[in-house]
Amino acid sequence: MSHLDIQQLVQNETEQLIKDRRFLHMHPELSFEETNTYAFILEQLQQLKHFSIRERVGEKGLVATISNGSGASIALRADFDALPIQDQKDVPYKSQNDGVMHACGHDGHTSILLGVARILDNHFDNINGTIVLLFQFAEELAPGGAEPMTNDGALEGVDRVYGNHLWSPFEHGAIHCKYDAMLASPDMFDITIQGKGGHGAHPDTAIDAIVAMATFITNIQTIVSRNVPPTSEAVLTIGKVVAGNAFNIISDKAFCTGTVRTFDPEIKTLIKTAMENELKGLSIAKGLTYTLDYIDGYPAVINQNDCVDVIKRASERAGLPYNEMEQVMIGEDFSYYLQHKPGAFFFTAAGNKERGITAPHHHPLFDFDESAMNDAAKLFLNILLEEGVLCLNK
C-alpha cells in the first residue's frame, strides 16, 4: 500500500521546482514563439513512465495524461509564454534574452505543473481516474493559446478543469479565489480621427483632429458613470494618444488606443455602441471622418461555484489560508476552458514585502517568492484528492 504525504512530497520537489523555474526565467520566449520552452517541457514529460503525451495541440501546446482506475477526469493548466519586457532584476537567474522576460510568473506555473507530474508519475497506484495536464502557449497575446487548444480537443473527456496564477500583490502563504465572476474580459480599441490640416494661424481653414480627439476622450469618460448601471463593473481607459508634427501646424489626424474591461457581454456592447455614437456625433458636428477598430479580448473568467468549494476545501487540507478576493479587471484566457467545462481559477499569493518582492506583474523588476510554487503544487494535489482522482492510501 502506498501512502501519500503531500506536504513531504512537494517539499522533496523544492530544489527541482526552483531549478526548472530559474532555467525558464533565464530563457524566456514570446507568445507564439516558445520553441525552446516547448522542447524543454516535452523533454521533461518524456522522462515520465505513466504519462501519454499529445504534442502540437492547437499547433503549439502539450497535453499530458495519466490514467488509472475508473474515477473522474480532472484537468490542470499552466501557461509558458513570456513578455516583451527588459529584465532589470539583479539576480543570478536574470533573463538572458534581450528584451524578453517572464514578468508574469508563467515560468513558475510551468515548473509547478511539471513537479505535480513527477509526483503523480511516482505514485501511479494512488490515482483513481484520469488527470490531464495542459501546458498552454501564448496566454499573454490574443488570440491566445487556450481557444485553439480547446478547439483541438484538449478537454475531450475532461469533467472539470482548474488553473492557478502566482500573484505577487498578495503576500505569500495563502490562496485567493472568488465565487462567480473573477477576472474581466479585456478588449482593445484603436481609433483614428481624420480632419483637415492647416496653418496654426488660420484654424478657420482646417478641421482640427487634436481638438476633436480631446472632445471625444472627454466625452467618453461619462460612459461608465452615466451609461453603465452602477451595479455593473466596467473600466474604459485611453492608454495612448498620437497626433501632430509641429507647434504651428493644425494636425489633420489623431490616433488613440485603449482598453475596455467588463464582465457582462451586454455591458461590453453598450460601451462599444456609446463610443461609436460619440464618434458619429463628432463626424457630423465637425465634418471629419473616423475609423474605430474594436478588438474583443478573452471572455471573462467565471468560476463554477462548486469548483470554488473544492479549492476552499483543498486549501484547508494543504494548511493554506483561503481568502475570498475581490474581482480583478485583468484578463486571462483560462476563460475559454471554462466555456467548455466546469472549473475554477485561483491565485496563489507570491509576494514577499520583507524580501522586497513587491513589483507588480508586467514590470521590469517583477519576481515572486519561490516558496509559492510549493503552495500551488500542494493546492493542485489536494484538489485532485477532493475530486477523488487521487487517494492518500491505495
Side-chain angles (χ1 to χ4, degrees):
M1 178 178 289
S2 175
H3 174 73
L4 281 184
D5 182 343
I6 289 177
Q7 187 84 14
Q8 188 60 54
L9 289 172
V10 172
Q11 186 61 38
N12 293 345
E13 283 290 324
T14 299
E15 185 177 343
Q16 189 63 45
L17 286 172
I18 292 173
K19 180 181 177 181
D20 288 349
R21 182 263 165 154
R22 294 189 176 188
F23 176 85
L24 290 169
H25 198 84
M26 291 169 67
H27 303 92
E29 294 177 301
L30 295 175
S31 306
F32 300 101
E33 300 176 14
E34 311 98 321
T35 304
N36 294 327
T37 306
Y38 178 100
F40 173 82
I41 297 167
L42 179 60
E43 182 184 11
Q44 297 290 312
L45 293 173
Q46 287 174 334
Q47 296 175 23
L48 306 179
K49 295 181 295 183
H50 300 292
F51 275 90
S52 61
I53 304 166
R54 187 176 163 215
E55 297 188 49
R56 302 296 169 191
V57 181
E59 292 191 13
K60 295 179 180 290
L62 288 153
V63 175
T65 303
I66 188 168
S67 187
N68 183 31
S70 58
S73 177
I74 305 299
L76 308 176
R77 175 268 206 164
D79 40 14
F80 56 77
D81 56 327
L83 286 154
I85 296 173
Q86 185 68 42
D87 194 349
Q88 296 180 8
K89 295 190 303 299
D90 183 18
V91 293
Y93 50 90
K94 183 177 181 177
S95 171
Q96 295 182 3
N97 295 347
D98 192 45
V100 185
M101 175 189 173
H102 272 294
C104 204
H106 297 187
D107 49 342
H109 301 167
T110 299
S111 303
I112 291 160
L113 207 57
L114 287 172
V116 168
R118 287 189 293 269
I119 290 171
L120 294 174
D121 195 61
N122 289 330
H123 294 273
F124 179 74
D125 290 343
N126 292 82
I127 295 172
N128 180 32
T130 300
I131 300 162
V132 179
L133 306 184
L134 309 170
F135 292 89
Q136 183 204 309
F137 62 99
E139 185 278 328
E140 295 287 3
L141 183 64
E147 187 174 30
M149 285 187 68
T150 54
N151 290 342
D152 196 14
L155 293 179
E156 187 175 345
V158 166
D159 296 306
R160 292 185 172 186
V161 57
Y162 293 90
N164 156 68
H165 204 306
L166 299 171
W167 199 243
S168 66
F170 296 150
E171 190 71 7
H172 70 105
I175 301 298
H176 298 251
C177 193
K178 188 184 183 307
Y179 290 99
D180 299 314
M182 178 174 169
L183 306 178
S185 174
D187 300 342
M188 173 185 167
F189 58 84
D190 294 336
I191 295 169
T192 299
I193 288 178
Q194 182 67 56
K196 178 183 175 184
H199 197 291
H202 297 284
D204 55 306
T205 66
I207 300 174
D208 194 330
I210 292 178
V211 171
M213 181 62 81
T215 301
F216 170 73
I217 292 172
T218 300
N219 288 350
I220 65 170
Q221 299 309 305
T222 64
I223 292 176
V224 172
S225 65
R226 289 297 176 265
N227 295 77
V228 175
T231 53
S232 298
E233 303 85 354
V235 169
L236 196 168
T237 295
I238 301 288
K240 179 181 179 182
V241 180
V242 179
N245 295 302
F247 80 99
N248 61 347
I249 299 174
I250 293 175
S251 180
D252 69 330
K253 187 183 292 185
F255 168 83
C256 77
T257 184
T259 184
V260 172
R261 309 279 170 134
T262 57
F263 291 94
D264 185 340
E266 291 185 6
I267 298 300
K268 176 194 295 200
T269 300
L270 181 156
I271 293 173
K272 182 179 178 180
T273 301
M275 292 172 64
E276 182 85 42
N277 289 339
E278 287 288 347
L279 289 166
K280 286 178 181 177
L282 271 175
S283 70
I284 294 169
K286 304 295 185 182
L288 52 81
T289 59
Y290 68 89
T291 60
L292 168 61
D293 186 13
Y294 192 100
I295 304 157
D296 290 316
Y298 306 144
V301 173
I302 312 293
N303 284 336
Q304 183 92 6
N305 286 347
D306 58 345
C307 294
V308 177
D309 287 335
V310 169
I311 290 172
K312 207 170 182 179
R313 294 195 301 270
S315 300
E316 293 172 4
R317 275 183 178 270
L320 293 165
Y322 173 89
N323 296 297
E324 180 75 7
M325 59 183 283
E326 299 292 328
Q327 290 175 333
V328 181
M329 302 306 281
I330 65 165
E332 236 290 350
D333 74 346
F334 186 80
S335 54
Y336 286 113
Y337 300 114
L338 295 178
Q339 289 189 334
H340 288 77
K341 300 290 181 178
F345 195 67
F346 63 92
F347 282 172
T348 302
N352 191 323
K353 293 178 183 176
E354 191 174 307
R355 292 178 50 205
I357 301 176
T358 57
H361 291 249
H362 296 209
H363 188 280
L365 296 176
F366 174 81
D367 206 349
F368 61 81
D369 188 316
E370 290 173 324
S371 69
M373 293 192 291
N374 288 43
D375 294 341
K378 286 188 288 186
L379 209 286
F380 271 149
L381 291 166
N382 279 288
I383 285 172
L384 298 176
L385 282 173
E386 286 293 329
E387 289 285 6
V389 295
L390 193 62
C391 308
L392 288 177
N393 297 289
K394 190 173 179 180

